[in-house]
Amino acid sequence: MRPPPSTPRPRQRGVGLFVKRAMDVSAAALLLLLASPFLLAAIAGIALTMGRPIFFRQVRPGRNEALFEVWKLRTMDERRGDDGELLLPDERITRLGRVLRATSLDELPQLWNVLRGDMSLVGPRPLLVEYLPRYSPHHRRRHEVLPGITGLAQVSGRNRLSFDRRFDLDVWYVDNWSLLLDLKILALTAWRVIRSEGVINPSEEGRPVFADSPAQTEENGRRD
């Protein structure tokens, strides 16, 4: 999805913001209800193959850089090398974990974040807290709206884009948001999930957003 040149308009507020929130809550509740059998099956599978914890939780910055805890289903085990350090992400992702990511079922717990008001269905993906001081003033504007489960960057090439380009798309979304744009992004997201397109390679999970940041282990930055 290639947006035209940015033409800033009033950002999320007023009736439009109220409708967006109403859509988020109703859609998240419905999706959780419909997906509950798959979610329960995934939880049981994780418990049997990896044990606890079932969920991966991590603090991320949200709107106005307020911190919240994002929830996902755990897809990696705790295997370590001879030196006692955790193995690389692509070595620790389990067979079940690959299935969960390929089907995006691991993202379902974020619907709880949506119901809580931490996230929206659509918005810039929340990244790591440690990256906050590294954004340019322009790219920092991506935090002017709620982060999303999916976003413009995720349906515009995702892992094929540079991070600068992803952040540019996030800011474009902030300046040009509309309910119609959200619906288009959701439709494209559903299409890509059905076709299993754009799922991040497990080996890329350790790739830092910024070149001088330390490579991340565990599930940092996954699919973002």
Side-chain angles (χ1 to χ4, degrees):
M1 185 172 183
R2 299 181 180 276
S6 182
T7 53
R9 64 185 65 173
R11 303 185 193 106
Q12 297 177 5
R13 64 183 185 185
V15 175
L17 180 58
F18 175 82
V19 174
K20 177 179 173 69
R21 178 60 183 156
M23 288 173 56
D24 279 345
V25 171
S26 56
L30 179 60
L31 287 172
L32 273 177
L33 179 63
L34 295 176
S36 58
F38 303 100
L39 183 58
L40 291 174
I43 289 173
I46 293 170
L48 289 173
T49 59
M50 287 184 279
R52 296 187 178 185
I54 301 297
F55 298 98
F56 169 73
R57 297 184 294 174
Q58 189 177 64
V59 175
R60 302 281 178 97
R63 183 169 55 188
N64 299 323
E65 301 178 7
L67 302 183
F68 73 99
E69 194 171 58
V70 68
W71 286 61
K72 300 182 183 183
L73 288 176
R74 183 176 166 215
T75 58
M76 291 182 185
D77 58 30
E78 300 296 323
R79 281 177 291 167
R80 297 177 182 268
D82 295 336
D83 58 0
E85 296 295 323
L86 287 170
L87 296 177
L88 293 174
D90 58 350
E91 297 177 281
R92 293 188 293 116
I93 186 172
T94 65
R95 183 176 301 178
L96 175 60
R98 292 184 187 278
V99 173
L100 294 177
R101 292 192 188 186
T103 57
S104 293
L105 288 174
D106 61 317
E107 305 283 356
L108 284 177
Q110 289 174 76
L111 294 171
W112 173 244
N113 288 118
V114 174
L115 291 176
R116 285 172 48 90
D118 301 322
M119 296 179 66
S120 173
L121 293 177
V122 181
R125 287 292 295 163
L127 298 179
L128 297 176
V129 175
E130 68 185 66
Y131 297 152
L132 285 175
R134 301 169 185 260
Y135 291 113
S136 69
H138 174 68
H139 288 158
R140 199 159 188 161
R141 294 190 54 234
R142 68 194 300 275
H143 296 108
E144 291 179 5
V145 299
L146 283 175
I149 295 178
T150 187
L152 182 59
Q154 281 62 49
V155 299
S156 301
R158 200 138 99 181
N159 301 320
R160 295 191 299 271
L161 303 176
S162 69
F163 280 102
D164 278 348
R165 178 57 178 157
R166 293 192 211 182
F167 297 157
D168 285 341
L169 288 169
D170 289 340
V171 176
W172 189 94
Y173 172 83
V174 170
D175 285 337
N176 296 272
W177 171 80
S178 70
L179 292 172
L180 180 59
L181 177 60
D182 275 5
L183 293 174
K184 288 180 178 178
I185 292 172
L186 288 171
L188 285 170
T189 299
W191 175 245
R192 292 180 187 276
V193 168
I194 291 171
R195 299 184 62 184
S196 295
E197 290 183 353
V199 177
I200 197 166
N201 187 301
S203 64
E204 293 183 345
E205 290 193 350
R207 183 182 62 182
V209 172
F210 297 95
D212 59 341
S213 66
Q216 299 296 313
T217 56
E218 196 43 54
E219 311 213 11
N220 295 346
R222 26 177 283 178
R223 231 199 292 263
D224 301 333

